[in-house]
């Protein structure tokens, strides 16, 4: 069979040709689903959904699409939104019941918020920066002169971006007599108020940050809602790098933490699991596969590429392998303030060697040679 031939669900001594109908392009993108490794076994829920398969909401000034529990039923803990804004465009003034964590994928934008004590926050964020807005804190986003695309993550798998509290929508559903009493306006002054939500809409690129700042009588928020993740020195390992952003170095982010992982070609995000919560992933570049072990003899392998969302339930053992010839970059996110993972290698290396050797029928010296410090990414 040549590389031009369609892949087949066949491995040595097992399987049979699929003569169609079929989506060959999709089979090529998912070889470990079409022909699973022999180590896969049993039934495991789907742990992958691509933003490319999500509905896109197109507005004047930008677009948005989301992956929630509706698209990926296993994802009960977190949901994600991919959003883009044209230069100057607004994601209008709004708030959520859920906390909002964000990663800037490209471009730049200005973000602002005012907390429950009237303390304000205004700053610019660029590619590789994070922001975090706590539950219920009102905020807005406006693209700078190059436009922006960003990933939003919310601490509720059932969240939908279409269900946020919008200022224009609030005004449209409040009697104008009440608005007049509240703000001291006249009915004539309110003739041009929007009759429905604006959500995303065009605008002018904002002036320099120094000209846009407002001094609140109660001051600024005590903990910045911005964190420069790419400017953070990475932890370096033989197979790649890891940057962790949690409440230890991004104090405002009390509901969501994350790791930005880069795996070199041929490298592996080591066999591990997370002892505190489910993992929600966003794949930024490259391609690879993830193998997941769910106990009781159940395991499944999934193929991923840029734009995909992955999900690993709490305590499931897993690995991620770079199968390409470029770095594989992805985010791991958790509904917890602090990042935590258990390294299988580190666990085995810090036990008396005879225990692991006896369990796995291996020579003791193989166990004794394992590194005792954690190496999240290996070759």
């Amino acid at each position: 069979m040549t590389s031009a031939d369609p892949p087949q669900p066949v491995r040595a001594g097992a399987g049979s040709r699929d003569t169609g109908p079929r989506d060959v392009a999709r089979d090529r993108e998912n070889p470990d689903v079409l022909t699973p490794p022999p180590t896969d076994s049993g039934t495991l829920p789907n742990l992958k959904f691509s933003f490319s398969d999500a509905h896109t909401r197109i507005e004047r000034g930008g677009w948005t699409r989301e992956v929630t529990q509706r698209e990926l039923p296993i994802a009960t803990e977190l949901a994600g939104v991919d959003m883009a804004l044209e230069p100057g465009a607004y994601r209008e003034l709004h708030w959520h019941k859920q906390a909002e964590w964000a990663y800037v994928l490209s471009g730049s934008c200005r973000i602002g918020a005012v907390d429950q004590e009237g303390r304000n926050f205004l700053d610019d964020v660029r590619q590789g920066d994070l922001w975090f807005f706590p539950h219920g804190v009102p905020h807005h986003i406006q693209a700078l002169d190059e436009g922006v695309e960003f990933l939003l993550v919310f601490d509720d798998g059932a969240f939908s971006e279409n269900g946020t509290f919008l200022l224009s929508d609030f005004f449209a559903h409040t009697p104008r007599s009440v608005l007049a009493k509240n703000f001291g306006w006249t009915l004539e002054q309110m003739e041009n108020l929007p009759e429905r939500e604006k959500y995303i809409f065009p605008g002018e690129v904002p002036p320099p940050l120094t000209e846009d700042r407002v001094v609140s009588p109660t001051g600024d928020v005590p903990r910045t809602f911005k964190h420069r993740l790419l400017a953070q020195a990475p932890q370096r390992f033989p197979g790649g790098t890891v940057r962790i952003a949690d409440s230890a170095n991004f104090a405002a982010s009390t509901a969501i933490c994350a790791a930005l992982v880069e795996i070199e070609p041929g490298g592996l995000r080591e066999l591990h699991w997370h002892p505190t919560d489910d993992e929600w992933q966003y794949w930024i570049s490259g391609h690879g596969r993830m193998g997941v072990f769910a106990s009781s003899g159940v395991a499944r392998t999934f193929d991923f590429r840029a734009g995909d969302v992955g999900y690993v339930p709490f305590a499931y053992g897993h690995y991620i392998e770079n199968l390409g010839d470029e770095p594989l970059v992805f985010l791991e996110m958790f509904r917890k303030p602090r990042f935590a993972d258990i390294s299988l290698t580190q666990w085995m290396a810090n036990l008396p060697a005879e225990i692991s050797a006896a369990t796995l029928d291996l020579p003791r010296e193989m166990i004794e040679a394992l590194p005792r410090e954690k190496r999240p990414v290996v070759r």
Side-chain angles (χ1 to χ4, degrees), residues 46 48-49 53-55 66-74:
N46 178 48
K48 169 189 171 182
F49 193 91
D53 293 327
H55 169 74
E66 62 186 18
V67 176
T68 73
Q69 191 176 1
R70 179 186 59 238
E71 289 78 21
L72 188 59
I74 192 70

Side-chain angles (χ1 to χ4, degrees), residues 19-299:
T19 58
R22 60 185 294 199
D23 187 337
V24 174
R26 210 164 185 84
D27 286 341
R28 290 192 193 281
E29 289 185 351
N30 297 280
D32 292 294
V33 175
L34 179 69
T35 310
T39 47
D40 278 15
S41 176
T43 301
L44 193 64
N46 178 48
L47 302 180
K48 169 189 171 182
F49 193 91
S50 175
F51 269 111
S52 295
D53 293 327
H55 169 74
T56 302
R57 176 176 175 175
I58 299 176
E59 300 283 335
R60 291 183 63 242
W63 56 262
T64 182
R65 52 191 179 182
E66 62 186 18
V67 176
T68 73
Q69 191 176 1
R70 179 186 59 238
E71 289 78 21
L72 188 59
I74 192 70
T76 59
E77 297 286 286
L78 297 165
V81 174
D82 181 14
M83 185 177 291
L85 301 175
E86 290 292 304
Y90 289 92
R91 171 66 174 95
E92 77 154 287
L93 294 159
H94 67 285
W95 68 98
H96 319 276
K97 294 179 181 179
Q98 298 81 4
E100 175 180 304
W101 183 99
Y103 179 84
V104 182
L105 296 165
S106 63
S108 58
C109 58
R110 182 159 298 166
I111 54 175
V114 177
D115 73 5
Q116 63 273 18
E117 295 186 31
R119 298 174 298 191
N120 62 10
F121 167 83
L122 191 72
D123 210 339
D124 293 341
V125 289
R126 304 183 184 280
Q127 182 176 359
D129 289 347
L130 309 178
W131 74 74
F132 179 84
F133 295 129
H135 307 87
V137 169
H139 54 280
H140 77 280
I141 305 161
Q142 185 180 16
L144 296 178
D145 55 3
E146 54 190 332
V148 68
E149 182 176 355
F150 46 86
L151 174 74
L152 301 172
V153 179
F154 299 88
D155 61 344
D156 178 0
F159 168 86
S160 174
E161 178 67 13
N162 299 315
T164 54
F165 295 88
L166 303 176
L167 184 64
S168 58
D169 195 27
F170 193 9
F171 269 51
H173 292 88
T174 302
R176 294 198 174 185
S177 60
V178 173
L179 295 174
K181 287 182 180 180
N182 190 81
F183 296 106
W185 297 338
T186 66
L187 295 178
E188 291 75 19
Q189 289 175 313
M190 296 184 289
E191 286 182 354
N192 294 324
L193 284 178
E195 296 182 357
R196 59 182 298 274
E197 69 175 34
K198 296 181 75 171
Y199 188 73
I200 290 174
F201 61 95
E204 298 294 326
V205 173
L209 188 61
T210 53
E211 298 178 20
D212 224 13
R213 291 194 184 279
V214 175
V215 178
S216 169
T218 53
D220 293 338
V221 295
R223 300 180 297 188
T224 179
F225 292 146
K226 168 186 172 180
H227 179 70
R228 300 188 63 208
L229 183 59
L230 278 188
Q232 180 180 317
Q235 302 174 48
R236 298 187 181 277
F237 304 97
T241 64
V242 177
R243 292 175 171 89
I244 294 172
D246 64 12
S247 59
N249 58 1
F250 185 18
S253 189
T254 56
I256 297 174
C257 66
L260 178 65
V261 181
E262 181 172 322
I263 306 174
E264 295 175 2
L268 184 78
R269 173 71 170 97
E270 67 161 344
L271 290 159
H272 69 286
W273 60 93
H274 299 279
T276 58
D277 208 15
D278 296 0
E279 173 181 341
W280 197 94
Q281 303 164 348
Y282 179 74
W283 293 57
I284 297 173
S285 63
H287 74 275
R289 67 176 180 177
M290 177 171 71
V292 180
F293 170 64
S295 81
S296 305
V298 176

